[in-house]
Amino acid sequence: MRNLSHDIQKIPVSRIVIPFMLGILTALKGEIMIPAVRFIIPLFLLWIAGRSFLSGRVNLFRPLLFLFFFLIGIATELLNRKPVPDFNDQEPVVVKGILKSEPVSGNGRIRFELETRWMVSVERTFSGRTVLMTYLSDTAMIRRIETSGHMCLAGVVYRVKNNRNPGAFDYAGYLSRRNCYYRFYPDSIIIYGHRQQESWRIDNLTRSVKRRITESWTGEPDALAILMAVTTGDRSELTTDLKESYSDAGGMHLLAVSGLHIGLIWMVLTRIFFFLSFIPAGKIIRSILVIVILWFYALMAGFTPSVCRSVTMFSLFAVSSALSRGRTSLNILFLSALVLLIMNPRQVLDIGFQLSYLAVTGIITMHPLISGIFHPKYRVIRRVVDLISLSVSAQIATLPLSISTFNQIPVYFLLTNLVAVPLLSCIVGVFVVSTPFFLLRVLEHPFLWILNHLTQLMNRLVTAISSVPGSVAAELHVNTGVMILVYLVVIIFLLYVRYRKISLLIAGLALISGSLILSSSLIVKERGTHRVLVPHFRGGTLLTIQNGIHADHFISCRDAQSCKAIWNYLRSDYFCRIRDSEIHSLDSLGMLHSPYLSAVRLHEGCILIAAKDLRILILDGPKGYRYPQFLQDYPSDLYILQRFGHPREIKSLDFNPGAGIIINGFNLPGLLLNLSGDTVNLFCTEEEGAYIKNY
């Protein structure tokens, strides 16, 4: 029988990575992690006492080792924190920096990332490196930027902010982990240097190589867009329809250069340089060549986090192979995670980092178990079974987190992987072999013909799969606590399958029971909830009145963009416990009566809603009232203002004393400054986030 303690000893890096990662999370998410740590510490001490009692001796080495690396994780995050610039919204600044990402067009503007060297305004100076999400509408200016090195730009900055709606994506937090805190709108530029004068720089060299390889590529636009994405990491030419097709078919991982692509390149390179293993020190030379080429490719692909993770991992594999050391895949996996977290601790919160390591961990741990169930006689069938087991292993490992984050799963992901992964392998293999020919401009047309036809075939197959009805199971929701319990159950199940210990089976059943109890308690709690919610949306109004598991949503939108934002929010995790929802348009609502509330349009631009002990009056701009004392005739507990375009439109309004006034994102900014009074409760969603009140 296998011994669990003996197998854990084969993965010593896990004893460092796990406490180190928990330390980073505690430093980043103290308000969430500290209560959890307070709960874990007594259990930890109880476990030490139990082990000491059963063994008859006190062994504090492992607990102290855990505590040491836990504290090292906290210290690493604190020491890696970079200074944050402090500028006001719309403050004019002068910025010196360099282009960090390739410009991308969208919504009538050109967007790119600018890495600063310093920022100066009239009142303050920031000397340091930060990233500005820069937006340009002048195409002539972007042409000058694309050929520049260091540059100086003048414009205005806006702090990146969230809508602060409950359950919404934390966009500001996502950008802050990339050291980006401001949006920048330049209106003038001074060029300091030119890339042509700095051709020795490695980043300029990689751009030149990439341009040399791809400038002769011609063919069908969609095929070229996919070819650029899967080989060079350039996704700027991918259309929305193409992205949706790959997403619905479960093939989005094919479009982003990641572990699959780097693994294929690593495999092709080791095959190309196989002859070096026959000379003295040939393995070391081969590994050095492979590592250098992989990191050069990482630079050419934009040095994205997914590429860095994969190249780090396969570099460690190459080193291990060159030294002829017996290697454990999980050891190398955890070691690569440790290296990346030391360089950038905040990666631990990136969904890409989490999904990447979960997928590889699932493949390493579950693939042997799943593939061992079947033993096909024929080689072709064995290959198919092996590919299916790889896909299933990765999908099982990432499924709970994917549902929790994206609220949907592709149904035909197995079929997509079966047809697309072999084609992607051929595309990447041909690309690696043909790169010298593209650089030398020799025989590039036959290779381009092969790449074009392979890519077109992959596009057609993926598009056909995505068009099959029911390709996506949408609006799925998993609570974070339940997701963690599911992962613990999967881990315990795998340990039970491997070691056949009854204690593991009991622990798994206990966790399943705990997961069911947690879900049931959340549903019971939600049934007794009576809540009013007014989130912040620029150019739109959403009023949600919740009664238990039923909710009425009142919507008004200025344009398609705000309407799309509201609809996406209604499908978020925040509303996952609401089983019964009704949506009403404020623009066309006349009269409404239901067991939960009543609503009536008093006249054009004025709607009164009554729910239980709550009266809400919605005023739609100046047409919402007919005379200054109008509000006294309809006293309400809550007033929602929308479409007010000028402060003077609301100065004469006489609100009910003690009532609350909500100024949402469907108004001219600055209205809050013109509403004052001791008897009125003012609430601006732009400043304070979503309005939430239980009644």
Side-chain angles (χ1 to χ4, degrees), residues 585 588-592 599-602:
S585 172
S588 59
L589 181 67
M591 181 177 292
L592 171 68
V600 61
R601 182 180 295 275
L602 300 177

Side-chain angles (χ1 to χ4, degrees), residues 94-97 118 148-153 190-194 197:
V94 176
V95 178
K96 181 182 179 182
W118 48 255
S148 69
H150 289 277
M151 66 193 79
C152 188
L153 302 97
I190 303 170
I191 305 299
Y192 272 82
H194 294 273
Q197 299 171 358

